[in-house]
Amino acid sequence: MTAPRHVTLIDGSGFIFRAFHGLPPMTRPDGTPVNAVYGFTTMLMKLLADSQSDHVAVIFDSSRKTFRSEIYPEYKAHRPPAPDELVPQFPLVREATRAFDLPAIELEGFEADDLIATYARLAVEAGASVTIVSSDKDLMQLVGPGVDMYDPMKNRAIGEAEVREKFGVAPDKVVDVQALCGDSSDNVPGVPGIGVKTAAQLIEEYGDLDTLLARASEIKQPKRRESLIEHAELARISRQLVRLRTDAPVPVPLADLDVKPPAPEKLAAFCAAQGFRSLMGRLNAKIPTTAPTATRAIVDTASAEAPSLPPKVESDYELVTDLAALDRWVAQASKAGLVGFDTETTGLDPLRAKLVGVSLALAPGRACYIPVMHSSGEAQGDLLGGPSADAPKLIPAADILARLKPLLADPAVLKVGHNIKYDMQVMAGLGLAIQSFDDTMLLSYVLDGASHGHGLDELCLLHLGHRNISFAEVCGSGRNQVTFDRVPLDKACAYAAEDADMTLRLHGLLKPRLLLERMVSVYETLERPLVPVIAAMERDGIKVDRPQLMALSEDFGRRLTELETEVVALNNGEAFNLGSPQQLGKVLFETLNLPGGKKTKTGQWATGADVLEDLAHLHPLPARLLDWRQLSKLKGTYTDALVAQINPATGRVHTSYALAATTTGRLSSSDPNLQNIPIRTEEGRKIRHAFVAEPGKRLISADYSQIELRLVAHVAEIEGLRDAFADGADIHAITASQVFGVPLDGMDSALRRRAKAINFGIIYGISPFGLAAQLGIPQGEAKAYIEAYFARYPEIRTFMERTKEEAREKGFVTTLFGRKVFTPGIKDKNGAMRAFAERAAINGPIQGGAADIIKRAMIRLPAALVAEGLKARLLLQVHDELVLEAPEDETEATVRVVKRVMEAAATLSVPLLVEAGIADSWDAAH
DNA sequence: TATATCACG
DNA sequence: GACGTACGTGATATAA
């Protein structure tokens, strides 16, 4: 055993809480929450990977009671108990520590911070340097000669300078400052009225707390003086609370913290037990190459001297500003056949944003940034207006594009992007096509569904334990935000190259999982090929008739004022904000004293449409208000907003489709959302009427008839339903006839309506409550209908049970094309939560299956149109509907192709039927 | 930033 | 016996 040279002390308890709150929820297959355990494990892996330490320990809080609660009972007393999802993770984190062969140290009556302080003292006395791994400001008092800190959440070293930035004083005065300003999160009182700034100023002036308190009467500001004199004792107690003990009776001697040779099998077993598949991949990759830790113990004194700071991910990023360097990178990318690719632009809208730079990554840690259009920060201050002397010299944009074009188009070089649709749009605007590509966002989406988000930063934290430089750190935020072209080149390079680097690293991690987790086909046939199709749809956009919308807006506006006057009159002339549910609730249930008021879960009056409809027969106000709400919604959300969204350059609106957003595999549309344009009411339809074709062209709307119900019939193998579909005609009337045993001829419309509601209910995972609410009938009656339905179609029950069982067993259900729809909460101990998850599980294969089918159609459609020599363009997708724009004289032929492709997109045991219309407006075509 | 409401499939 | 529910989205205004 050798004497310690460098000791790393990890604040385990602090980390658990931060990881728990910072990471999305994750559960083990058995339902145990493990997000904090996962964060902890990746943090340790990363920390140990290139740690130079010879002694390492993870230190935990033991119990809530410590010597501090003896001194001051309120200390940390207001802390709520740990969340239920965190409690089972405490023992697991200690288990993780042991899996790394590290000591997990805790001591009754002492906080982790005191043990860390004590070990730090012992280490320094033994001549070693110390790194404390924590983001807790309470540990900053320990920073000093031989001791520094590392914040694993922010991936940042904390030295004297950082402490000074935080507290305004040197580390050895931190205790005095904290004693004065207190700490609300720990319930340390401090002196009332004194914050960090004032405390630092006082300590700087008087030297230390005792001197300050002794000379408090000299202070000029009267309030401050009184407070200090009155609360001197409180300050002394506070100091006792914040000062860490360096004399804790540590349960394990320092010498025993020495690093043991690694036992990767032990760690792999632990990861396997927790279901950490991606970590196992990393372990397996590492096991053969990693040298035993013991031999990595300090050999050269140089690195031992400088307290080694842990581990940034090793990186070597190059700023490319000359053609020779660019050629070198392009040649190497071309030779490698694989390159991480990312673009930086001036904005989020790919149609309006200008390209600022491009980054490439060749291997983990090896990436470059090629600026295309930067105005240096210095140029701003150049009063002469000429080019600033130190303005960076960049490669001319035309040269960069000329070099990138063949690389991006080369089918032999795989370009890996994160949300590469965006980069595709930007490059398409410059005439560059991306030929062969992968998208890490989509990989993550098909593998892990909605169990977490799929942003690059989030994935890096999750899979690589690496915190990326944030956009805000580079460009600022709020009113100080600047566009990327104003960012100094060195900062821009660090940020942009990192994105390409991380994208490539994620690719290495995620792509192999496709095969292992049987997701190759979903990714290769459903998701990836859709990217260029959607990119083209977004670029094409759809024309809206601006004058028509503006006229509508005016009309709505006028009627809104009229309605408002009427409503105010009905409220005894008392004006109020009709848009405020809160004020409306008071008017209805307090001023007018209408009966039957319900409260929402936050204790406010509920004023939803259903409530207002119930009130309509008691008073004229609710009906007027419903009208007002409808028009207000239409004006605010559609007419006005849509006009504002027209792209001046194209005269069209360009929505953005999210490919990796929904739990079921559907697309979602935003900015503007074109998947919820009104149709159900006459007034609403007027908005749809303003979506038009260019002169000489027509709009075609083609939608799947009853696709979800057909999927139910197919997937659940419901013979009766299949027959009904085979017979064609009115499916709801047929099921009404079959379920209620009445003849199809002269079907009662009320009966048909009930059958329709049950048909929909099945798709949503039916419940008597839901059906009763939908139909406005008693729950008992709804229950009887469901029983009748189940009796006629017994296979539906089997399907529902089978689906729930699958969800419980695997944590997800699958669509007929193999997409996973994850079902978190399926084992929740709360019955309501579980029921919710069960209904979602039943809906998953149905909604998800329909999403798969229309995606298949969209992927095949462009080529099918080209093959027939047709010029039609796909413009919109609305879940079961496609909207195209076609030259007037090609509409008939286009409809034939569209129908053919859509109906052949899946072969089911029931036919798929597509209904299409042709017109000048979307309203008329639908 | 959260909540209530309402537009769509 | 009580709980709290139809499935999936996004945009808006209000209120905090």
Side-chain angles (χ1 to χ4, degrees), chain A residues 132-320:
Chain A
I132 296 165
V133 177
S134 173
S135 1
D136 192 341
K137 62 178 179 345
D138 296 342
L139 284 162
M140 290 187 180
Q141 58 181 276
L142 299 175
V143 169
V147 181
D148 51 31
M149 281 176 74
Y150 168 72
D151 178 347
M153 301 302 289
K154 296 208 177 119
N155 191 15
R156 168 180 102 110
I158 299 169
E160 283 212 36
E162 286 75 20
V163 175
R164 205 173 263 285
E165 194 184 317
K166 174 94 192 168
F167 286 105
V169 294
D172 60 325
K173 306 273 190 212
V174 163
V175 170
D176 288 350
V177 168
Q178 283 187 291
L180 280 175
C181 63
D183 183 344
S184 58
S185 70
D186 290 348
N187 232 12
V188 171
V191 175
I194 293 188
V196 183
K197 287 274 152 61
T198 314
Q201 190 196 322
L202 288 170
I203 293 298
E204 282 289 274
E205 195 176 335
Y206 290 88
D208 60 57
L209 184 66
D210 291 319
T211 315
L212 169 68
L213 293 177
R215 295 169 50 193
S217 55
E218 301 168 18
I219 292 173
K220 292 187 197 72
Q221 296 90 337
K223 266 198 159 161
R224 200 175 281 179
R225 181 176 60 232
E226 300 305 318
S227 196
L228 273 169
I229 293 170
E230 187 182 340
H231 299 105
E233 195 46 36
L234 216 46
R236 292 196 182 92
I237 291 174
S238 296
R239 181 169 55 183
Q240 270 185 284
L241 294 177
V242 298
R243 179 181 282 153
L244 298 178
R245 295 264 300 260
T246 56
D247 60 346
V250 291
V252 178
L254 178 64
D256 290 2
L257 308 185
D258 62 318
V259 173
K260 318 284 186 299
E265 319 76 41
K266 212 164 150 185
L267 186 51
F270 174 79
C271 288
Q274 309 310 317
F276 296 161
R277 287 172 312 226
S278 63
L279 294 190
M280 291 183 63
R282 278 159 74 181
L283 273 177
N284 291 336
K286 259 183 188 161
I287 290 174
T289 54
T290 307
T293 314
T295 65
R296 274 193 293 136
I298 311 288
V299 184
D300 66 310
T301 38
S303 64
E305 229 80 316
S308 72
L309 269 201
K312 290 182 46 158
V313 173
E314 273 174 55
S315 57
D316 172 22
Y317 297 151
E318 179 182 337
L319 183 67
V320 174

Side-chain angles (χ1 to χ4, degrees), chain A residues 505-556:
Chain A
R505 292 190 200 215
L506 281 175
H507 183 257
L509 217 57
L510 297 177
K511 190 80 185 281
R513 281 179 55 198
L514 279 186
L515 198 60
L516 294 171
E517 296 168 36
R518 307 176 56 84
M519 281 290 121
V520 175
S521 139
V522 171
Y523 175 73
E524 297 288 353
T525 69
L526 251 29
E527 299 297 337
R528 194 175 65 177
L530 195 61
V531 174
V533 177
I534 301 282
M537 289 168 68
E538 293 180 359
R539 280 193 78 77
D540 283 338
I542 186 166
K543 184 175 176 186
V544 297
D545 185 334
R546 183 196 294 262
Q548 200 180 327
L549 279 180
M550 289 171 60
L552 254 185
S553 173
E554 209 165 303
D555 177 43
F556 289 160

Side-chain angles (χ1 to χ4, degrees), chain A residues 5-8 50-54 127-131 144-149 157 298-311:
Chain A
R5 303 292 291 266
H6 188 261
V7 180
T8 294
D50 22 27
S51 158
Q52 303 284 313
S53 300
D54 42 80
S129 59
V130 177
T131 297
V147 181
D148 51 31
M149 281 176 74
I298 311 288
V299 184
D300 66 310
T301 38
S303 64
E305 229 80 316
S308 72
L309 269 201

